[in-house]
Amino acid sequence: MIEDFRNLRNKNGDNVKTIAVSKRSTSEEILSVYNLNHKDFGENRVQDLIVKYNKLPKDINWHMIGHLQRNKVKDIIEFIHLIHSVDSLRLLDQINKESSKKNLKTNILIQVKVSQDVGKYGFLSDELDNVFKNYLSNKYRNINILGLMGMATFTDNISQIESEFSLLSTLYNKYSKMTNLKYLSMGMSGDYLLALKYNSNMIRLGSAIFN
Ligand SMILES: *Cc1c(COP(=O)(O)O)cnc(C)c1O
């Protein structure tokens, strides 16, 4: 139930924002959560995002949390609230270009790959200096970088998950000193309690809310 995730705090005592991941849910199921006064929903496919955006109330904040192809950026740029999954310099350039055409400033998170799982996307931690160097030199005038996003390895090994969350948290603190960051998007249904221990302030929950 969404009520269980409304007033969470992380170890630092900061408020935690919960994104209801609706990628496996119908519009009716989304509406039933929306009607409990929840506005933030996450999807991982552009096609589904567009269908649900068109069908559902316009005051929903839509979060893109899955890998985004560059040619699809233009399809979501006008309504997306936050793109969590920015995982390459080419994608950054494309989002900046499309945002500039429409005179928008798009809110994004930089996805960092800390997981051992193959096929996971994201910048490696040693690539982030370059990303933030570009950003601080005003290369992306139509983008606001609001923080970092990451996923832990899919494993039962808690100490491995903790070390990955700890790394993300360290990186978030490091880049927060250079520019004003707001969100560390880390933690899903299976591992959000561990993420809060490492001061995540945005969690993405699918099964915990919709099942
Ligand atoms: C599906 C998904 C989630 C939510 O997963 P649950 O285990 O259902 O909570 C969170 N983040 C991303 C990037 C996802 O693709």
Side-chain angles (χ1 to χ4, degrees):
M1 278 301 275
I2 189 66
E3 275 93 345
D4 299 332
F5 306 105
R6 258 205 238 285
N7 298 306
L8 294 175
R9 284 178 188 272
N10 65 22
K11 191 156 179 246
N12 272 347
D14 309 318
N15 285 315
V16 175
K17 194 160 185 77
T18 298
I19 312 306
V21 175
S22 49
K23 67 189 183 195
R24 303 182 203 93
S25 307
T26 63
S27 297
E28 289 69 31
E29 290 167 322
I30 295 172
L31 260 185
S32 71
V33 174
Y34 171 88
N35 287 331
L36 297 169
N37 198 27
H38 187 82
K39 297 282 161 65
D40 289 86
F41 292 88
E43 288 284 330
N44 67 341
R45 295 181 61 232
V46 166
Q47 228 20 64
D48 298 342
L49 195 50
I50 292 169
V51 169
K52 288 169 178 171
Y53 167 73
N54 284 322
K55 214 162 163 179
L56 288 161
K58 290 294 172 286
D59 64 341
I60 286 180
N61 298 324
W62 289 105
H63 296 249
M64 176 61 187
I65 62 169
H67 179 62
L68 176 57
Q69 287 175 311
R70 285 183 301 139
N71 62 356
K72 304 231 168 107
V73 168
K74 61 178 184 321
D75 302 334
I76 63 168
I77 201 81
E78 283 173 283
F79 70 88
I80 201 72
H81 181 71
L82 180 63
I83 304 173
H84 293 227
S85 44
V86 178
D87 54 14
S88 71
L89 292 174
R90 294 169 77 205
L91 180 58
L92 265 170
D93 285 335
Q94 185 74 17
I95 294 170
N96 191 55
K97 187 172 113 193
E98 294 297 335
S99 304
S100 156
K101 277 189 202 165
K102 307 244 162 73
N103 211 1
L104 299 168
K105 206 139 182 178
T106 301
N107 291 328
I108 68 149
L109 305 178
I110 297 296
Q111 183 172 356
V112 188
K113 182 182 177 338
V114 293
S115 153
Q116 302 287 307
D117 295 333
V118 288
K120 285 270 165 67
Y121 293 95
F123 287 95
L124 301 176
S125 53
D126 63 9
E127 296 173 322
L128 294 179
D129 276 351
N130 191 36
V131 171
F132 281 92
K133 195 185 84 198
N134 286 349
Y135 182 59
L136 292 171
S137 68
N138 281 325
K139 184 160 181 221
Y140 310 121
R141 288 176 188 279
N142 294 79
I143 287 178
N144 283 322
I145 299 183
L146 295 189
L148 303 181
M149 181 273 233
M151 265 180 280
T153 303
F154 188 71
T155 174
D156 291 333
N157 183 343
I158 287 178
S159 65
Q160 179 169 354
I161 297 172
E162 290 205 31
S163 75
E164 292 168 0
F165 284 164
S166 171
L167 173 59
L168 280 169
S169 184
T170 302
L171 293 167
Y172 179 74
N173 290 334
K174 172 179 173 183
Y175 293 102
S176 290
K177 292 192 179 93
M178 298 181 197
T179 184
N180 197 16
L181 301 181
K182 210 169 157 190
Y183 296 121
L184 176 55
S185 171
M186 149 175 123
M188 318 191 346
S189 297
D191 57 19
Y192 75 92
L193 287 173
L194 287 175
L196 298 185
K197 196 171 151 187
Y198 291 91
N199 290 318
S200 164
N201 60 14
M202 184 174 262
I203 55 177
R204 309 176 310 271
L205 304 183
S207 49
I209 289 175
F210 286 100
N211 289 349

